[in-house]
Every structure is written in structure tokens, then in C-alpha cells.
């Protein structure tokens, strides 16, 4: 009888706690990913050393961010004249 009461009370509570934990995990994962995307730039010429291209990530992974066969780079700040920050595929 006590085991039956325990099941009826604790099972819904356990499901609710699991659902809340999953919701928080999903929210934190999506907001973290959004914050890691940065603008990728490619070198065209000395006159255009930082040409805007594809969005990349600044989170280190084994895959570098490219556009075709050209490696893309990032800037330390939006107004920086050079693009020398290594970027990776999101």
C-alpha cells in the first residue's frame, strides 16, 4: 500500500522535474550557440583585406571556417583594420 502511494505521488513529480531540467538545458544550449557566431572575413587584396563573407564560430573545433577553399578570419573588434582571429565552422 505504501509502495503504491509512493508511485502515485512520486512518478508525476519525477516527470515534472525531468521536464523542467530539459527545458533549462535546451534554452541554455541555444543561447550559447547564438553567442558564438561571429562574422567571417576573407582576404581579397591589399585594398580589400577583410571582405565580409559567411558567419563562423569562435569556439575551437577541428574544422576551420572556409568559403570554398579560402580560410575565413575574424576581427578582434568590428572597427579593427585587420582580420587575424582564427575562426571555426559552427
Amino acid at each position: 500500500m505504501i509502495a503504491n502511494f509512493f508511485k502515485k505521488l512520486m512518478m508525476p513529480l519525477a516527470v515534472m522535474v525531468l521536464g523542467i531540467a530539459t527545458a533549462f538545458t535546451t534554452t541554455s544550449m541555444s543561447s550559447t550557440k547564438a553567442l558564438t557566431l561571429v562574422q567571417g572575413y576573407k582576404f581579397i587584396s591589399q585594398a580589400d583585406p577583410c571582405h565580409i563573407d559567411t558567419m563562423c564560430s569562435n569556439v575551437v573545433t577541428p574544422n576551420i571556417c572556409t568559403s570554398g577553399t579560402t580560410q575565413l578570419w575574424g576581427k578582434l573588434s568590428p572597427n579593427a583594420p585587420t582580420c587575424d582571429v582564427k575562426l571555426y565552422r559552427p
Side-chain angles (χ1 to χ4, degrees):
M1 182 158 164
I2 292 177
N4 200 14
F5 174 73
F6 182 75
K7 261 195 237 180
K8 286 182 180 181
L9 181 64
M10 291 311 233
M11 287 301 256
L13 184 62
V15 170
M16 207 165 41
V17 168
L18 183 63
I20 290 170
T22 303
F24 279 114
T25 303
T26 304
T27 302
S28 68
M29 286 171 55
S30 64
S31 63
T32 302
K33 185 170 182 152
L35 295 175
T36 61
L37 290 179
V38 294
Q39 184 64 57
Y41 300 89
K42 67 180 173 182
F43 179 83
I44 301 292
S45 66
Q46 289 296 336
D48 190 10
C50 296
H51 185 79
I52 294 176
D53 204 283
T54 307
M55 296 300 284
C56 300
S57 174
N58 56 6
V59 175
V60 178
T61 66
N63 302 317
I64 60 170
C65 192
T66 58
S67 177
T69 57
T70 306
Q71 183 174 354
L72 299 180
W73 298 87
K75 294 182 175 186
L76 287 175
S77 71
N79 298 328
T82 59
C83 303
D84 51 5
V85 178
K86 194 170 189 177
L87 297 177
Y88 304 89
R89 267 192 215 147

